[in-house]
Each structure stands twice: as structure tokens, then as C-alpha cells.
Amino acid sequence: MALKRSSTAVQVKELLLERILDGTYKPGERLIELQIAEELQTSQAPVREALRYLEAMRLVETEPYKGTRVRVVTERELEESSQVRSVLEQLACELAAPKLKGNCAELQAEADKFMNAARKKDFATYSLHDTAFHRLIMQAADNQLLLSIWESVVLESRFLRILAKIGGENLVEFGDAHLVVLEALEKGDGKTASKSMRNLICKFHGLKI
Amino acid sequence: MALKRSSTAVQVKELLLERILDGTYKPGERLIELQIAEELQTSQAPVREALRYLEAMRLVETEPYKGTRVRVVTERELEESSQVRSVLEQLACELAAPKLKGNCAELQAEADKFMNAARKKDFATYSLHDTAFHRLIMQAADNQLLLSIWESVVLESRFLRILAKIGGENLVEFGDAHLVVLEALEKGDGKTASKSMRNLICKFHGLKI
DNA sequence: TGATTCTCGATTATCGATAATCGATTTTTA
DNA sequence: TAAAAATCGATTATCGATAATCGAGAATCA
């Protein structure tokens, strides 16, 4: 029963992470150590450690004596992360295909949910299940490093911004493209799945490759 | 002239990083905060922050109240990192090809050096220039995220361990495989370069894909 | 004896205080 | 008056001290 407690620093990290992702802290906003420490009834040291984690995750930037800010992700960086994501997911499809052959019930369930949301133009729900769909594939690939890099890249390319770019009109089309991947995986055809996945990410994220 | 000072924590991080990579600290070895602090004439706090950086880089592992150890990279994880590396470099070749078309002098220089080392079975020199060769391509891809992930993955898959697996006998063959990539890049043929690169990494790192 | 509890030194986790630095504002100076 | 210097509040960087916890061995007990 490895229920491990976690240090204050880790808890602070989790909280700050959540707040950065849900937009409580906006891009560019300063994170003031003593303010956070006081709010969370702790001291400066654990907060600083938490910020070092987030810095390594590229979610915040720190300059000596100037403090820490939520990183502003530029359009260019968003493109960069989509490029990287496309090959990470391509690899995941190849690796996951054998395991998912004839075993795609969970994937199908998520696909149903995001297709439903797509028809209703419900971005939030769409995003939730789309991400879950992709994460299932990443997990099935059974490569810890791949998964952990993917998680951090997905954080970087805040999904909602990508969806905004795709636009409500194309949401169904975008969802449909996922079904091709799903079919290929169901058949265990990693080659097709990985190609389709890469195309889907590149196409809808506006990459030319 | 952005010569920025760096905090004690960053300096400590750099030092520990160096020592982990050059083997001063062996895998599994404990890093004791107050010991390091005393050695470096600083206090515990900056050392802890440095360890948080290294933790996020997956170079060390920390358990609450048990301390921090240099991570032991298993054979399995080495494979995982090679898989990831193969697609990162594949992408880099695609992206870098236009820029490197007819502009591969630097790459050629590194290739000459590692081929020379390969013939002499000089692992250390080989490793140096092989890494430089790959890094030039990664840099030419002009994607900061890709580069930074690649750097961390390369750290993870300590190169010398990979080379040991390849063995002195095959070093020349391994080096030769790089020349195919080089030729394709020189022609600006990203498709061929990226395929050859992926094959080369997979084949010599013992992956089946 | 074999298992359990207790004790203790080592180490990590956290805190509160102080030093160093920043940026903005005010004051001084030429 | 415009530039330079001094000042000041806010914040980060670092330190030293203390609390919490761990692991290993000693002591205890059945």
C-alpha cells in the first residue's frame, strides 16, 4: 500500500499547476513567493521549491531578483509543441497497436463522448474527452518516458487555445479524423494508425508537414 | 549583452549535473543535502532547490524523509529513451533538411572526426563527435522545445552505455549509417534523412520497430 | 530465541529572520 | 530643467535553527 504522503513543496506545486492550467494565474502574471506562502499557511522555502519544479516544466520563468512569472506561450511555441506532439503520438500509436488490437472499448467510449460534444459545439467537454482519448493511447504505448514527455508537452500547448484555432465549425470534422485512428488501432494496424494520427495533429494544428 | 548572473541554486544544479554525468556520483548514490551544502560553502536551501531541478529532469529521485538518490536507469528505460529519441531525431531531420541543403560543412566535419575515432575504436572521442553531429541537426531544426526535450532524453540515455552495447567492432558500421543521413540532408531530402535516422537509432539501439 | 519496542544519531522538512537586489520615486546637482 | 544620485518599499536569496522522520541497533519481553 504505497500511499505516500507528499511534501509541502509537492502539494504547492500541484496547486500552482492547477491554477496555471485553469487560468487562475494568467500568462505573464507574477507569482510572489511570500504572498503564496501566506495564503497557503506555509513558509517561503516550500513555495520556492515548487517554483523550481514548475520552472523545469517550462510553465513559469524565473529571473534572479526579479521573481517568477507564468510563461507566455507564443504562437510560434504553440506550433513547436504541436510538431513535437505529432511525432510523440505517432510513436505511441505504433507501440500501442498490438496491445489495443481488438481491445478499444475504452477508446470508443471516449470517442463517442467527444463526438457528441462536437455536435453540440461544447468545447470544454470536447476537450476533456479528446484529451482522455489521446492519453489512453499514450498509456497503452507503455513507455513511461514517452508518457511523461507527452504530458508536459500537452500542458505546454494549452489545448483550449488549439481548439479555438480549429473553431466550432470544424469540430466534428476534427473528431471524425480520430475515428480513422481508432479503426486502425482496433485492427492492430500500427502503421496506419500512426500515420493518421500524425496527419490529424499536423493538419488541424495548422502545420504544413 | 544578456550576461545574467545565476543564483546559487542554479550553480549547484550545474555542478551536480556535471558530476552525475561524468560518473562522480554513481547511479543509486545518495546526495546528502547538508554534506553538499558544506562542501560548496552554502546552505541547505539552494541545494534543495537544485535537487528539485534535477528531479524534474529525471536525473535523481526523491522520497520524503528518505532523501535524494541518483536515478538508476534500467535497461528497459534505456530502450524507452531510445524509442523516444528515434522519433525526435526523425522530426528534426524533416525540419532541418531545408536549412541544411547544400550547407552541411559542419556536419561533415563532425562526421569525419567520429569516423576517424571509430576506426581507432576510441569510444570517448567517438561519443563526443557523434553527439555533436546529432546536436547540430537538432539545432538546425530550429524548434526550441524539441531541442530541450532531446537534450534531456540524451542525458537520460547515457550515451556511453549505448555505445558499449553497440561494441567496438560495429563502431565503423554505426558511423557509416550516419553518412547516409548526411548525404540526404546535403540534398535537402528530409524524407530520406528522417527515415534513415530513425532506422539508424532503432537498429543500433536494439529496437525492433 | 525471535519478535517487538525503544533509543539515538543522521538526515530531511520547514520555519523565521536577515541580507541583497530591484524598480519606482524623490532629491540633488550641474 | 534634465540627468544623475539617493532613498525606500517590495520582493527575492540565503542563512541558521528547529521540528519531524527515518533506519539501525540496543533493550525488552514472551
Side-chain angles (χ1 to χ4, degrees):
Chain A
M1 243 63 61
L3 88 153
K4 43 194 137 191
R5 287 158 308 166
S6 54
S7 64
T8 312
V10 169
Q11 291 173 40
V12 174
K13 180 199 76 178
E14 305 287 352
L15 181 75
L16 296 182
L17 180 59
E18 198 183 308
R19 287 187 178 175
I20 291 172
L21 294 181
D22 74 12
T24 307
Y25 297 137
K26 306 264 179 272
E29 185 169 341
R30 262 190 81 185
L31 301 181
I32 292 165
E33 299 172 358
L34 284 173
Q35 253 174 38
I36 295 169
E38 191 181 13
E39 183 199 336
L40 306 182
Q41 290 297 307
T42 180
S43 67
Q44 195 187 355
V47 175
R48 279 180 68 86
E49 287 183 43
L51 293 176
R52 295 301 85 86
Y53 281 122
L54 296 172
E55 202 184 336
M57 295 169 74
R58 304 172 45 108
L59 283 168
V60 304
E61 278 174 331
T62 300
E63 270 190 281
Y65 292 108
K66 291 198 177 174
T68 300
R69 304 175 165 275
V70 180
R71 201 160 78 82
V72 178
V73 178
T74 65
E75 205 53 38
R76 168 71 189 279
E77 288 170 321
L78 219 52
E79 245 183 65
E80 291 190 358
S81 73
S82 294
Q83 286 175 336
V84 173
R85 230 191 110 173
S86 74
V87 295
L88 296 179
E89 301 219 18
Q90 178 187 27
L91 173 60
C93 285
E94 288 177 29
L95 296 174
K99 185 171 312 181
L100 292 175
K101 184 173 184 176
N103 189 21
C104 290
E106 276 186 296
L107 275 177
Q108 185 66 60
E110 294 298 340
D112 291 345
K113 287 180 197 158
F114 70 65
M115 285 311 291
N116 225 9
R119 282 185 283 269
K120 294 180 193 155
K121 296 187 183 164
D122 176 352
F123 276 62
T125 306
Y126 182 89
S127 153
L128 197 68
H129 294 292
D130 183 308
T131 304
F133 179 90
H134 287 272
R135 184 173 285 111
L136 280 173
I137 297 175
M138 299 310 294
Q139 287 167 345
D142 198 27
N143 176 322
Q144 278 313 113
L145 179 64
L146 177 60
L147 180 60
S148 93
I149 294 176
W150 180 82
E151 291 286 359
S152 81
V153 171
V154 168
L155 293 191
E156 173 129 350
S157 70
R158 312 292 165 50
F159 201 50
L160 284 174
R161 245 178 95 182
I162 297 281
L163 281 184
K165 234 161 73 175
I166 290 172
E169 304 315 313
N170 304 317
L171 218 50
V172 171
E173 190 192 344
F174 186 44
D176 269 333
H178 287 69
L179 301 183
V180 180
V181 176
L182 178 52
E183 275 171 43
L185 288 174
E186 175 71 31
K187 289 185 205 146
D189 180 357
K191 276 268 176 293
T192 304
S194 67
K195 270 186 194 158
S196 311
M197 178 62 95
R198 175 123 196 251
N199 284 338
L200 134 67
I201 295 177
C202 287
K203 179 173 173 198
F204 287 93
H205 294 208
L207 303 178
K208 45 199 167 301
I209 284 184
Chain B
M1 247 58 64
L3 88 152
K4 42 194 139 190
R5 287 161 308 165
S6 54
S7 63
T8 312
V10 170
Q11 290 173 38
V12 174
K13 180 199 77 176
E14 305 286 353
L15 181 74
L16 296 183
L17 180 58
E18 198 182 307
R19 288 187 178 177
I20 290 171
L21 294 180
D22 74 12
T24 307
Y25 297 136
K26 305 266 179 269
E29 185 168 341
R30 263 189 82 185
L31 301 181
I32 292 165
E33 298 171 359
L34 285 173
Q35 250 174 40
I36 295 169
E38 190 182 12
E39 183 198 335
L40 305 183
Q41 291 296 306
T42 180
S43 68
Q44 195 188 353
V47 176
R48 279 180 69 85
E49 288 183 42
L51 293 176
R52 295 300 85 86
Y53 281 122
L54 297 173
E55 204 185 333
M57 294 169 74
R58 302 171 49 105
L59 283 168
V60 304
E61 278 174 332
T62 299
E63 270 190 281
Y65 293 108
K66 290 197 179 175
T68 300
R69 305 178 164 273
V70 179
R71 202 159 78 81
V72 178
V73 178
T74 64
E75 205 53 37
R76 169 71 190 280
E77 288 170 321
L78 218 53
E79 247 182 63
E80 291 190 358
S81 73
S82 293
Q83 286 175 337
V84 173
R85 231 192 109 172
S86 74
V87 295
L88 295 178
E89 301 218 19
Q90 177 186 27
L91 173 60
C93 284
E94 288 177 30
L95 295 174
K99 185 169 315 179
L100 290 175
K101 184 175 184 175
N103 190 19
C104 290
E106 274 186 299
L107 277 177
Q108 184 67 60
E110 294 297 340
D112 290 345
K113 287 181 197 157
F114 70 64
M115 286 309 291
N116 224 8
R119 282 185 284 270
K120 293 181 194 157
K121 297 188 183 167
D122 176 352
F123 275 63
T125 306
Y126 182 89
S127 154
L128 197 69
H129 294 293
D130 183 307
T131 305
F133 179 91
H134 287 272
R135 182 172 287 112
L136 280 173
I137 297 175
M138 300 309 296
Q139 287 167 344
D142 198 27
N143 176 321
Q144 276 315 112
L145 179 64
L146 178 61
L147 181 60
S148 94
I149 293 176
W150 180 83
E151 291 285 0
S152 80
V153 171
V154 168
L155 292 192
E156 173 129 352
S157 70
R158 313 293 164 52
F159 201 50
L160 285 174
R161 243 176 96 182
I162 297 282
L163 280 185
K165 233 161 74 175
I166 290 171
E169 302 315 314
N170 303 317
L171 217 50
V172 170
E173 189 191 346
F174 185 46
D176 269 333
H178 287 70
L179 301 183
V180 180
V181 176
L182 177 53
E183 274 171 44
L185 288 173
E186 175 71 32
K187 289 184 205 146
D189 179 356
K191 276 268 177 292
T192 304
S194 67
K195 272 185 192 160
S196 310
M197 179 62 96
R198 176 124 195 252
N199 284 338
L200 134 68
I201 294 176
C202 288
K203 179 172 171 198
F204 286 93
H205 293 208
L207 304 177
K208 46 198 166 303
I209 284 182

